[in-house]
Protein backbone atom coordinates (compact mmCIF):
# COMPACT_ATOMS: atom_id res chain seq x y z
CA UNK A 1 0.00 0.00 0.00
CA UNK A 2 1.33 3.42 -0.92
CA UNK A 3 1.16 5.85 1.98
CA UNK A 4 0.43 9.38 0.82
CA UNK A 5 1.84 11.90 3.30
CA UNK A 6 -0.68 14.32 4.72
CA UNK A 7 -0.33 18.05 4.17
CA UNK A 8 0.58 18.45 7.85
CA UNK A 9 3.21 15.72 7.44
CA UNK A 10 4.74 17.59 4.51
CA UNK A 11 4.70 20.89 6.39
CA UNK A 12 6.45 19.22 9.35
CA UNK A 13 9.03 17.69 7.03
CA UNK A 14 9.79 21.00 5.34
CA UNK A 15 9.91 22.86 8.65
CA UNK A 16 12.25 20.26 10.14
CA UNK A 17 14.69 20.62 7.24
CA UNK A 18 14.76 24.43 7.46
CA UNK A 19 15.08 24.39 11.24
CA UNK A 20 17.91 21.89 11.14
CA UNK A 21 19.68 24.13 8.62
CA UNK A 22 19.49 26.96 11.17
CA UNK A 23 20.40 24.78 14.15
CA UNK A 24 23.40 23.30 12.36
CA UNK A 25 23.41 20.05 14.28
CA UNK A 26 20.86 18.69 16.76
CA UNK A 27 19.57 15.51 18.34
CA UNK A 28 16.04 14.26 17.72
CA UNK A 29 15.05 15.45 21.21
CA UNK A 30 16.43 18.94 20.57
CA UNK A 31 14.62 19.16 17.23
CA UNK A 32 11.36 18.00 18.83
CA UNK A 33 11.67 20.67 21.53
CA UNK A 34 12.51 23.38 19.00
CA UNK A 35 9.57 22.52 16.73
CA UNK A 36 7.09 21.73 19.49
CA UNK A 37 6.50 18.26 18.02
CA UNK A 38 6.51 14.90 19.75
CA UNK A 39 9.71 12.85 19.68
CA UNK A 40 8.06 9.93 17.81
CA UNK A 41 6.86 12.37 15.08
CA UNK A 42 10.34 13.86 14.73
CA UNK A 43 11.87 10.37 14.79
CA UNK A 44 9.60 9.22 11.97
CA UNK A 45 10.38 12.22 9.76
CA UNK A 46 14.11 12.02 10.58
CA UNK A 47 14.26 8.36 9.55
CA UNK A 48 12.56 9.18 6.24
CA UNK A 49 14.99 12.02 5.60
CA UNK A 50 17.97 9.83 6.52
CA UNK A 51 16.77 7.22 4.04
CA UNK A 52 16.38 9.88 1.35
CA UNK A 53 19.88 11.19 2.07
CA UNK A 54 18.61 14.68 2.96
CA UNK A 55 20.11 14.53 6.45
CA UNK A 56 23.07 12.65 7.90
CA UNK A 57 24.14 11.32 11.27
CA UNK A 58 26.96 12.85 13.24
CA UNK A 59 28.28 10.53 15.95
CA UNK A 60 30.09 11.93 18.92
CA UNK A 61 32.89 9.88 20.53
CA UNK A 62 30.69 9.15 23.52
CA UNK A 63 28.17 7.18 21.50
CA UNK A 64 30.91 5.29 19.64
CA UNK A 65 32.34 3.98 22.94
CA UNK A 66 29.00 2.52 23.88
CA UNK A 67 29.30 -0.15 21.21
CA UNK A 68 25.69 0.26 20.10
CA UNK A 69 24.48 -1.65 17.16
CA UNK A 70 25.06 1.04 14.53
CA UNK A 71 21.76 0.74 12.70
CA UNK A 72 19.63 0.57 15.85
CA UNK A 73 21.43 3.44 17.49
CA UNK A 74 20.86 5.67 14.47
CA UNK A 75 17.24 4.65 14.05
CA UNK A 76 16.32 5.23 17.67
CA UNK A 77 18.56 8.25 18.06
CA UNK A 78 20.57 7.24 21.13
CA UNK A 79 22.30 9.99 23.13
CA UNK A 80 25.40 11.18 21.34
CA UNK A 81 23.82 10.82 17.93
CA UNK A 82 23.04 14.09 16.25
CA UNK A 83 21.60 14.99 12.90
CA UNK A 84 22.50 17.64 10.36
CA UNK A 85 21.67 18.33 6.74
CA UNK A 86 23.73 16.16 4.42
CA UNK A 87 26.95 18.04 3.64
CA UNK A 88 28.70 15.34 1.61
CA UNK A 89 26.61 14.50 -1.43
CA UNK A 90 25.97 17.05 -4.19
CA UNK A 91 22.20 17.03 -4.74
CA UNK A 92 21.47 20.26 -6.61
CA UNK A 93 23.19 21.97 -9.47
CA UNK A 94 22.99 25.69 -8.70
CA UNK A 95 23.36 28.10 -11.61
CA UNK A 96 23.62 31.88 -11.48
CA UNK A 97 22.64 33.36 -14.80
CA UNK A 98 24.36 36.74 -14.61
CA UNK A 99 24.51 39.46 -17.24
CA UNK A 100 28.20 38.88 -17.96
CA UNK A 101 28.95 35.51 -16.38
CA UNK A 102 27.13 32.28 -15.65
CA UNK A 103 28.35 30.46 -12.54
CA UNK A 104 27.81 26.86 -11.50
CA UNK A 105 28.21 24.83 -8.36
CA UNK A 106 27.10 21.35 -7.29
CA UNK A 107 25.70 21.78 -3.78
CA UNK A 108 24.61 19.41 -1.03
CA UNK A 109 21.43 20.15 0.93
CA UNK A 110 23.61 21.25 3.87
CA UNK A 111 24.88 24.34 2.15
CA UNK A 112 27.82 26.61 3.06
CA UNK A 113 27.16 30.07 4.51
CA UNK A 114 29.18 31.82 1.80
CA UNK A 115 28.91 31.36 -1.96
CA UNK A 116 31.59 29.33 -3.66
CA UNK A 117 31.15 28.86 -7.41
CA UNK A 118 33.02 25.96 -9.00
CA UNK A 119 32.78 26.94 -12.66
CA UNK A 120 32.34 30.30 -14.40
CA UNK A 121 31.67 30.85 -18.11
CA UNK A 122 30.70 33.94 -20.15
CA UNK A 123 26.91 34.37 -20.49
CA UNK A 124 26.86 35.26 -24.25
CA UNK A 125 23.86 36.98 -25.89
CA UNK A 126 21.77 34.18 -27.34
CA UNK A 127 20.13 30.90 -26.34
CA UNK A 128 22.36 28.91 -28.71
CA UNK A 129 25.49 30.52 -27.30
CA UNK A 130 24.37 29.91 -23.72
CA UNK A 131 23.61 26.25 -24.45
CA UNK A 132 27.20 25.83 -25.69
CA UNK A 133 28.46 27.41 -22.47
CA UNK A 134 26.30 24.99 -20.45
CA UNK A 135 27.91 22.08 -22.29
CA UNK A 136 31.39 23.47 -21.59
CA UNK A 137 30.52 23.90 -17.90
CA UNK A 138 29.07 20.35 -17.69
CA UNK A 139 32.43 18.91 -18.70
CA UNK A 140 34.05 20.66 -15.76
CA UNK A 141 31.49 19.51 -13.18
CA UNK A 142 32.33 15.91 -12.20
CA UNK A 143 28.94 15.17 -10.63
CA UNK A 144 26.26 14.34 -13.20
CA UNK A 145 23.10 13.23 -11.39
CA UNK A 146 21.13 15.85 -9.52
CA UNK A 147 17.79 15.98 -7.73
CA UNK A 148 17.28 19.27 -9.49
CA UNK A 149 18.87 22.21 -11.29
CA UNK A 150 18.16 25.57 -9.63
CA UNK A 151 18.75 28.72 -11.66
CA UNK A 152 19.03 32.24 -10.29
CA UNK A 153 17.56 34.46 -13.02
CA UNK A 154 17.55 38.26 -13.34
CA UNK A 155 14.52 40.28 -14.38
CA UNK A 156 10.82 39.71 -13.87
CA UNK A 157 10.40 35.98 -13.47
CA UNK A 158 7.22 33.93 -13.18
CA UNK A 159 8.74 31.17 -11.08
CA UNK A 160 5.77 28.80 -11.16
CA UNK A 161 5.56 28.65 -14.95
CA UNK A 162 9.36 29.00 -15.30
CA UNK A 163 9.04 32.04 -17.56
CA UNK A 164 11.16 35.15 -17.84
CA UNK A 165 8.61 37.84 -18.56
CA UNK A 166 10.97 40.80 -18.89
CA UNK A 167 14.72 41.13 -18.47
CA UNK A 168 16.07 44.69 -18.87
CA UNK A 169 19.73 43.57 -18.97
CA UNK A 170 19.34 40.17 -20.66
CA UNK A 171 16.51 40.51 -23.18
CA UNK A 172 17.22 37.22 -25.01
CA UNK A 173 16.03 35.24 -21.98
CA UNK A 174 12.47 36.56 -22.51
CA UNK A 175 11.97 34.46 -25.64
CA UNK A 176 13.62 31.28 -24.39
CA UNK A 177 12.54 28.32 -22.29
CA UNK A 178 15.57 28.27 -19.97
CA UNK A 179 14.43 25.07 -18.26
CA UNK A 180 14.26 23.20 -21.57
CA UNK A 181 17.73 24.45 -22.53
CA UNK A 182 19.18 23.20 -19.25
CA UNK A 183 17.42 19.84 -19.63
CA UNK A 184 19.37 19.30 -22.87
CA UNK A 185 22.49 19.10 -20.70
CA UNK A 186 21.30 17.78 -17.31
CA UNK A 187 18.49 15.28 -16.95
CA UNK A 188 16.78 16.68 -13.85
CA UNK A 189 13.85 18.89 -12.88
CA UNK A 190 14.67 22.57 -13.39
CA UNK A 191 13.44 25.42 -11.19
CA UNK A 192 13.83 29.17 -11.73
CA UNK A 193 14.31 31.56 -8.82
CA UNK A 194 14.36 35.32 -9.34
CA UNK A 195 17.89 36.42 -8.44
CA UNK A 196 17.05 38.84 -5.63
CA UNK A 197 14.57 36.43 -4.07
CA UNK A 198 17.34 33.82 -4.03
CA UNK A 199 19.64 36.25 -2.19
CA UNK A 200 16.99 37.19 0.37
CA UNK A 201 16.17 33.53 1.09
CA UNK A 202 19.89 32.73 1.42
CA UNK A 203 20.42 35.62 3.81
CA UNK A 204 17.48 34.54 5.94
CA UNK A 205 18.86 30.98 6.12
CA UNK A 206 21.93 32.13 8.02
CA UNK A 207 20.90 35.35 9.77
CA UNK A 208 18.46 34.24 12.42
CA UNK A 209 17.71 37.68 13.80
CA UNK A 210 16.79 39.06 10.38
CA UNK A 211 13.10 38.17 10.31
CA UNK A 212 12.06 41.36 8.50
CA UNK A 213 14.29 43.05 5.99
CA UNK A 214 14.64 44.13 2.42
CA UNK A 215 17.78 42.93 0.69
CA UNK A 216 19.17 45.11 -2.09
CA UNK A 217 21.77 43.89 -4.53
CA UNK A 218 23.94 46.35 -6.41
CA UNK A 219 25.70 44.81 -9.42
CA UNK A 220 25.01 44.96 -13.16
CA UNK A 221 21.54 46.10 -12.13
CA UNK A 222 19.86 47.05 -8.86
CA UNK A 223 17.11 44.88 -7.44
CA UNK A 224 15.65 43.89 -4.12
CA UNK A 225 13.49 41.33 -2.34
CA UNK A 226 11.85 41.58 1.06
CA UNK A 227 11.34 39.08 3.84
CA UNK A 228 8.28 40.05 5.87
CA UNK A 229 7.42 38.21 9.09
CA UNK A 230 9.97 35.57 8.17
CA UNK A 231 8.48 34.88 4.73
CA UNK A 232 9.36 36.02 1.27
CA UNK A 233 7.14 38.92 0.24
CA UNK A 234 5.10 37.84 -2.79
CA UNK A 235 2.12 39.39 -4.48
CA UNK A 236 -0.23 38.59 -7.35
CA UNK A 237 2.00 40.03 -10.04
CA UNK A 238 5.42 38.43 -10.53
CA UNK A 239 6.99 41.87 -10.08
CA UNK A 240 8.29 43.32 -6.82
CA UNK A 241 11.40 44.96 -5.43
CA UNK A 242 12.31 46.65 -8.73
CA UNK A 243 13.82 49.68 -7.05
CA UNK A 244 16.49 49.95 -9.76
CA UNK A 245 13.78 51.18 -12.11
CA UNK A 246 12.52 54.02 -9.93
CA UNK A 247 12.71 57.22 -12.02
CA UNK A 248 15.17 59.88 -10.90
CA UNK A 249 14.14 63.39 -11.94
CA UNK A 250 16.78 65.09 -14.09
CA UNK A 251 18.60 61.84 -14.93
CA UNK A 252 18.74 61.51 -18.72
CA UNK A 253 20.47 58.13 -19.02
CA UNK A 254 18.64 55.45 -20.97
CA UNK A 255 17.86 52.25 -19.10
CA UNK A 256 17.75 48.67 -20.41
CA UNK A 257 14.05 48.56 -19.46
CA UNK A 258 13.27 51.16 -22.15
CA UNK A 259 12.70 54.08 -19.78
CA UNK A 260 14.85 57.16 -19.25
CA UNK A 261 16.40 58.07 -15.91
CA UNK A 262 16.07 54.86 -13.85
CA UNK A 263 18.07 54.64 -10.61
CA UNK A 264 20.19 51.76 -11.88
CA UNK A 265 21.56 53.94 -14.68
CA UNK A 266 23.26 55.87 -11.86
CA UNK A 267 24.29 53.19 -9.38
CA UNK A 268 24.86 49.92 -11.25
CA UNK A 269 28.53 48.94 -11.65
CA UNK A 270 28.59 50.17 -15.24
CA UNK A 271 26.81 53.40 -14.32
CA UNK A 272 29.22 54.19 -11.47
CA UNK A 273 32.18 53.58 -13.80
CA UNK A 274 30.58 55.88 -16.40
CA UNK A 275 30.15 58.69 -13.87
CA UNK A 276 33.68 58.12 -12.56
CA UNK A 277 35.00 58.37 -16.11
CA UNK A 278 32.99 61.56 -16.80
CA UNK A 279 34.26 63.23 -13.63
CA UNK A 280 37.92 62.21 -13.80
CA UNK A 281 38.35 62.06 -17.59
CA UNK A 282 39.78 58.54 -17.33
CA UNK A 283 38.92 56.42 -20.36
CA UNK A 284 37.47 52.99 -19.57
CA UNK A 285 38.39 52.82 -15.89
CA UNK A 286 38.22 49.41 -14.25
CA UNK A 287 36.29 48.58 -11.05
CA UNK A 288 39.46 48.37 -8.90
CA UNK A 289 40.40 51.92 -9.96
CA UNK A 290 37.02 53.17 -8.80
CA UNK A 291 37.29 51.31 -5.47
CA UNK A 292 40.79 52.77 -4.87
CA UNK A 293 39.67 56.27 -5.87
CA UNK A 294 36.69 56.27 -3.48
CA UNK A 295 38.84 54.85 -0.67
CA UNK A 296 41.48 57.56 -1.22
CA UNK A 297 39.18 60.52 -1.87
CA UNK A 298 36.11 59.64 0.17
CA UNK A 299 32.62 60.50 -1.00
CA UNK A 300 32.99 63.31 -3.53
CA UNK A 301 29.98 65.41 -4.67
CA UNK A 302 29.26 63.26 -7.78
CA UNK A 303 29.10 60.08 -5.70
CA UNK A 304 27.29 61.82 -2.83
CA UNK A 305 24.53 62.84 -5.24
CA UNK A 306 24.17 59.24 -6.48
CA UNK A 307 23.95 57.98 -2.88
CA UNK A 308 21.29 60.63 -2.15
CA UNK A 309 19.10 59.38 -5.00
CA UNK A 310 19.69 55.77 -3.97
CA UNK A 311 18.80 56.49 -0.33
CA UNK A 312 15.62 58.37 -1.33
CA UNK A 313 14.35 55.39 -3.32
CA UNK A 314 15.26 52.91 -0.56
CA UNK A 315 13.59 55.04 2.12
CA UNK A 316 10.43 55.26 0.00
CA UNK A 317 10.40 51.47 -0.36
CA UNK A 318 10.84 51.10 3.44
CA UNK A 319 7.97 53.51 4.11
CA UNK A 320 5.68 51.61 1.75
CA UNK A 321 6.66 48.09 2.87
CA UNK A 322 6.82 48.92 6.58
CA UNK A 323 10.36 47.67 7.02
CA UNK A 324 13.13 49.15 9.15
CA UNK A 325 16.09 47.03 8.09
CA UNK A 326 18.01 47.09 4.82
CA UNK A 327 20.62 44.50 3.87
CA UNK A 328 23.01 45.61 1.14
CA UNK A 329 24.98 43.10 -0.94
CA UNK A 330 27.19 43.50 -3.98
CA UNK A 331 29.24 46.34 -5.40
CA UNK A 332 28.42 49.09 -2.88
CA UNK A 333 29.76 46.74 -0.18
CA UNK A 334 33.02 46.39 -2.16
CA UNK A 335 33.42 50.18 -2.07
CA UNK A 336 33.86 50.09 1.70
CA UNK A 337 31.90 49.97 4.94
CA UNK A 338 31.96 53.80 5.17
CA UNK A 339 29.85 53.93 2.01
CA UNK A 340 27.21 51.69 3.64
CA UNK A 341 27.25 53.84 6.80
CA UNK A 342 26.83 56.99 4.67
CA UNK A 343 23.93 55.33 2.87
CA UNK A 344 22.41 54.46 6.26
CA UNK A 345 22.60 58.10 7.37
CA UNK A 346 20.94 59.23 4.17
CA UNK A 347 18.22 56.54 4.41
CA UNK A 348 17.52 57.71 7.97
CA UNK A 349 16.49 61.13 6.58
CA UNK A 350 13.77 59.66 4.42
CA UNK A 351 12.57 56.66 6.41
CA UNK A 352 9.54 57.65 8.47
CA UNK A 353 10.27 54.98 11.09
CA UNK A 354 13.47 56.89 11.93
CA UNK A 355 11.41 59.84 13.27
CA UNK A 356 10.59 57.81 16.37
CA UNK A 357 12.47 54.50 16.01
CA UNK A 358 15.70 53.24 14.50
CA UNK A 359 16.41 52.13 10.98
CA UNK A 360 19.36 49.99 10.03
CA UNK A 361 21.38 49.44 6.90
CA UNK A 362 23.91 46.61 7.04
CA UNK A 363 26.22 44.97 4.54
CA UNK A 364 26.31 41.22 3.95
CA UNK A 365 27.94 38.66 1.67
CA UNK A 366 25.95 37.12 -1.15
CA UNK A 367 24.37 33.80 -0.18
CA UNK A 368 22.74 32.98 -3.47
CA UNK A 369 23.54 29.26 -3.37
CA UNK A 370 21.86 28.92 0.04
CA UNK A 371 18.79 30.70 -1.37
CA UNK A 372 18.65 28.40 -4.39
CA UNK A 373 18.93 25.34 -2.15
CA UNK A 374 16.15 26.79 0.05
CA UNK A 375 13.94 26.86 -3.06
CA UNK A 376 15.07 23.32 -3.96
CA UNK A 377 13.95 22.06 -0.55
CA UNK A 378 10.63 23.89 -0.85
CA UNK A 379 9.84 22.76 -4.38
CA UNK A 380 11.59 19.43 -4.88
CA UNK A 381 12.39 17.74 -1.55
CA UNK A 382 9.36 18.61 0.56
CA UNK A 383 6.78 20.42 -1.59
CA UNK A 384 3.65 21.37 0.30
CA UNK A 385 0.54 21.56 -1.90
CA UNK A 386 -1.05 24.98 -1.70
CA UNK A 387 -4.84 25.02 -1.91
CA UNK A 388 -6.27 27.59 -4.34
CA UNK A 389 -8.04 29.33 -1.47
CA UNK A 390 -4.78 29.76 0.48
CA UNK A 391 -3.65 33.36 0.38
CA UNK A 392 -0.62 32.93 2.54
CA UNK A 393 2.64 31.31 1.55
CA UNK A 394 3.66 28.27 3.47
CA UNK A 395 7.18 28.11 4.77
ZN1 LIG B 1 14.80 50.93 -16.00
Amino acid sequence: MVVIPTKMGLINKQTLIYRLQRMGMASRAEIAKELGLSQPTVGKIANQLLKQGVIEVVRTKKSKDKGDDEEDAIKIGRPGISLRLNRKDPRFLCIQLGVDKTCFTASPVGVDAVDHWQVKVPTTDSAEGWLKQLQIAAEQIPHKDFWGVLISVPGIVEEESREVIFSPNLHWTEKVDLAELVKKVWNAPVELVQENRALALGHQTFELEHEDFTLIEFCEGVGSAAIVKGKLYRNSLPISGEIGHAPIYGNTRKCGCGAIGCLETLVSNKALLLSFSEVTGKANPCWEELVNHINENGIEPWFDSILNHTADVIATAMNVLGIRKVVVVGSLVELGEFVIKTLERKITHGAMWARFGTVECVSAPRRRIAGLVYAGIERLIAPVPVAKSDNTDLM
Side-chain angles (χ1 to χ4, degrees):
M1 196 181 89
V2 180
V3 180
I4 300 165
T6 61
K7 185 170 175 179
M8 188 47 76
L10 288 164
I11 292 171
N12 286 341
K13 189 174 171 184
Q14 201 184 85
T15 310
L16 189 150
I17 301 171
Y18 289 139
R19 200 57 64 92
L20 194 54
Q21 173 79 284
R22 287 179 166 205
M23 293 171 88
M25 199 166 73
S27 68
R28 284 169 171 78
E30 286 165 338
I31 298 168
K33 198 176 162 201
E34 179 79 14
L35 295 181
L37 294 173
S38 72
Q39 282 208 41
T41 302
V42 167
K44 207 172 119 193
I45 302 171
N47 288 340
Q48 282 170 9
L49 293 172
L50 275 169
K51 213 167 149 191
Q52 273 182 275
V54 175
I55 62 176
E56 63 187 2
V57 164
V58 186
R59 267 178 165 274
T60 63
K61 197 168 177 294
K62 199 170 116 202
S63 72
K64 274 181 189 161
D65 292 345
K66 281 193 165 179
D68 287 331
D69 175 87
E70 180 76 11
E71 219 170 285
D72 270 4
I74 289 170
K75 214 167 169 187
I76 301 161
R78 291 242 156 84
I81 290 185
S82 286
L83 303 170
R84 70 174 177 196
L85 296 192
N86 186 313
R87 299 186 58 80
K88 292 192 301 278
D89 307 310
R91 301 297 191 192
F92 294 117
L93 177 64
C94 298
I95 302 180
Q96 181 197 356
L97 171 54
V99 174
D100 300 321
K101 276 182 308 205
T102 301
C103 307
F104 303 79
T105 220
S107 176
V109 182
V111 67
D112 286 335
V114 178
D115 282 354
H116 169 69
W117 297 100
Q118 293 171 320
V119 176
K120 292 178 185 178
V121 296
T123 289
T124 75
D125 57 3
S126 69
E128 298 74 37
W130 196 60
L131 178 60
K132 276 187 197 138
Q133 295 301 322
L134 294 183
Q135 286 156 343
I136 291 168
E139 285 167 21
Q140 297 172 57
I141 299 166
H143 198 82
K144 303 293 172 205
D145 296 319
F146 295 102
W147 289 352
V149 180
L150 312 164
I151 321 175
S152 156
V153 185
I156 295 166
V157 183
E158 180 67 272
E159 295 179 354
E160 241 172 77
S161 59
R162 301 171 190 85
E163 274 175 278
V164 179
I165 293 171
F166 187 66
S167 191
N169 299 311
L170 221 51
H171 281 294
W172 65 264
T173 60
E174 297 157 6
K175 300 162 198 81
V176 171
D177 186 336
L178 291 174
E180 281 309 309
L181 273 185
V182 168
K183 279 182 187 169
K184 287 183 181 177
V185 183
W186 289 279
N187 181 25
V190 179
E191 293 290 336
L192 269 52
V193 187
Q194 201 279 341
E195 62 176 4
N196 304 117
R197 289 184 211 156
L199 288 169
L201 290 172
H203 186 79
Q204 188 198 24
T205 300
F206 288 100
E207 299 290 339
L208 307 187
E209 79 280 16
H210 288 192
E211 284 286 301
D212 283 60
F213 62 89
T214 184
L215 179 141
I216 305 173
E217 185 189 28
F218 294 87
C219 56
E220 297 105 336
V222 179
S224 73
I227 300 280
V228 179
K229 292 188 176 175
K231 289 178 188 172
L232 193 62
Y233 172 79
R234 291 180 211 257
N235 49 329
S236 318
L237 295 177
I239 181 170
S240 68
E242 292 291 347
I243 65 165
H245 300 280
I248 303 299
Y249 183 75
N251 174 19
T252 55
R253 288 186 184 167
K254 197 171 183 306
C255 181
C257 75
I260 304 280
C262 292
L263 176 69
E264 75 173 35
T265 69
L266 295 177
V267 75
S268 71
N269 296 7
K270 224 185 272 176
L272 286 172
L273 285 172
L274 179 62
S275 299
F276 177 49
S277 170
E278 284 170 0
V279 169
T280 59
K282 279 185 197 224
N284 303 316
C286 69
W287 184 251
E288 285 67 34
E289 279 178 81
L290 174 63
V291 175
N292 292 339
H293 181 89
I294 288 179
N295 275 280
E296 280 162 23
N297 298 281
I299 295 165
E300 295 169 305
W302 68 273
F303 187 43
D304 193 58
S305 155
I306 291 172
L307 288 179
N308 281 338
H309 291 308
T310 307
D312 285 350
V313 174
I314 295 173
T316 305
M318 292 168 86
N319 290 344
V320 172
L321 280 169
I323 277 180
R324 56 164 290 273
K325 186 172 276 177
V326 178
V327 178
V328 176
V329 302
S331 50
L332 281 196
V333 176
E334 292 163 27
L335 293 175
E337 194 54 30
F338 72 103
V339 172
I340 305 301
K341 284 294 131 200
T342 305
L343 188 65
E344 183 180 60
R345 274 199 303 280
K346 291 176 185 293
I347 288 170
T348 303
H349 283 293
M352 199 171 173
W353 190 258
R355 318 270 201 276
F356 44 84
T358 51
V359 298
E360 242 185 300
C361 177
V362 297
S363 59
R366 286 186 179 98
R367 287 162 172 149
R368 200 184 305 274
I369 296 169
L372 287 172
V373 170
Y374 184 105
I377 294 166
E378 185 184 50
R379 300 185 203 174
L380 300 171
I381 295 180
V384 176
V386 181
K388 283 208 168 108
S389 58
D390 283 2
N391 288 323
T392 49
D393 289 310
L394 293 160
M395 232 188 96

